[in-house]
Amino acid sequence: EGTILSIKCQHALGDVYEGASVAVNGTCLTVTSWRLQDGSRSAGEFTVNLSPETLRRTNLGDVSDGSRVNLERAAGMNARNSGHNVQGHVDGTGTIMSKEREGESLWVQISAPPEVMRYVVPKGYMAVDGTSLTVCKVDYKQGWFNLMLVAHTQTKVVLPHREIGDRVNLEVDVLAKYAETGMASLQQRVADLEAVVHGKREPAPGAVSYTHLRAHETPEHLVCRLLLEKKKKKE
C-alpha cells in the first residue's frame, strides 16, 4: 500500500494547485491537497502520495515526524537554470560515509551502487536529495564520490544535517544516460566488427569485406575510412 506524506513549509506553496509538482528530497511528487497559513501566500501545509515503488527507490521511507526535507517547485520554462537539469527521477540511494570541515566549507563523501557510479565523473553534476552539486573526487573501485558544500548551500539544504550512515537520494545527470543510449548501437557495431576481425564470428551476408583492414587499423578506423570512400564516390 502507498503512504500519504504531509509537509509543512514556508516558501514552497506560492501559486500551488492540485496536481502541481514538488520535489521532496529530489523526488518529483504530486500535490494532492494543500492549505495556506492565514495571511500567507507561500507558507502552509500540503500532502503528497508515496507509492510502494517510490518508497523502495528513495529515502522517503526513512522520513519520520519532524524530519527535515528539501523542497523545490518545478522551474518555469522561462526560468534561469543555475545548475543542471534535475528531473526528480531518483536513480538510487547512496550512503553518507564521512563529513569533514575545511574552513567554512564541508566535504561530504557518499557511497553509491554500481548502477549510479557508472555515470559519475569528476567535475560532473550529481543531485543529492535534489540539490544540484558538483562532484569532486571519484573512486570507482571502492564505489564512492565526494563533494564540497559552501557555507551558503549548507544553510539551505538538509545534507549537512545528515548523519554518517544515512541514506540520500541520488539522481545522475540525464545527459550521461542519453549519451550512453546514443552510443549503444555504435558500440554494438564496433563489437561485432572486432569479433569478425579477430576471427570469432563470420561476417553477415552482404557485410563489409574485412580483408580491407589495413595494418594497425582498428575496426573503428575501417568503418570511418569506408564511409569516407563511399561519400567520395557519390561526389
Side-chain angles (χ1 to χ4, degrees), residues 62-84:
D62 303 337
V63 171
S64 58
D65 291 347
S67 294
R68 300 177 65 180
V69 293
N70 288 334
L71 298 178
E72 183 177 10
R73 291 289 301 276
M77 295 300 293
N78 62 342
R80 187 183 298 277
N81 187 345
S82 296
H84 75 290

Side-chain angles (χ1 to χ4, degrees), residues 104-188:
E104 294 184 342
S105 298
L106 177 67
W107 284 103
V108 181
Q109 183 179 358
I110 301 172
S111 65
E115 58 268 26
V116 171
M117 287 300 301
R118 64 190 295 178
Y119 301 110
V120 184
V121 294
K123 304 308 176 186
Y125 289 119
M126 175 63 75
V128 181
D129 280 340
T131 306
S132 175
L133 298 168
T134 302
V135 175
C136 295
K137 185 177 180 180
V138 181
D139 189 318
Y140 296 105
K141 186 176 181 179
Q142 297 187 24
W144 61 263
F145 64 92
N146 68 6
L147 41 84
M148 177 175 277
L149 303 178
V150 298
H152 176 76
T153 302
Q154 294 174 50
T155 66
K156 303 297 182 180
V157 302
V158 300
L159 186 55
H161 305 282
R162 297 289 191 207
E163 301 294 337
I164 306 303
D166 283 355
R167 291 197 305 159
V168 291
N169 291 332
L170 301 176
E171 181 185 333
V172 303
D173 189 350
V174 69
L175 294 181
K177 292 189 283 188
Y178 281 134
E180 180 183 59
T181 301
M183 289 294 293
S185 60
L186 177 59
Q187 290 172 336
Q188 183 59 54

Side-chain angles (χ1 to χ4, degrees), residues 35-96:
R35 179 175 59 83
L36 293 175
Q37 290 181 5
D38 293 340
S40 175
R41 300 179 60 181
S42 62
E45 184 176 337
F46 69 98
T47 61
V48 293
N49 291 338
L50 304 179
S51 69
E53 176 68 3
T54 300
L55 293 173
R56 282 191 294 267
R57 294 188 63 90
T58 72
N59 66 2
L60 293 179
D62 303 337
V63 171
S64 58
D65 291 347
S67 294
R68 300 177 65 180
V69 293
N70 288 334
L71 298 178
E72 183 177 10
R73 291 289 301 276
M77 295 300 293
N78 62 342
R80 187 183 298 277
N81 187 345
S82 296
H84 75 290
N85 293 319
V86 179
Q87 297 178 299
H89 300 162
V90 175
D91 293 298
T93 58
T95 303
I96 302 295

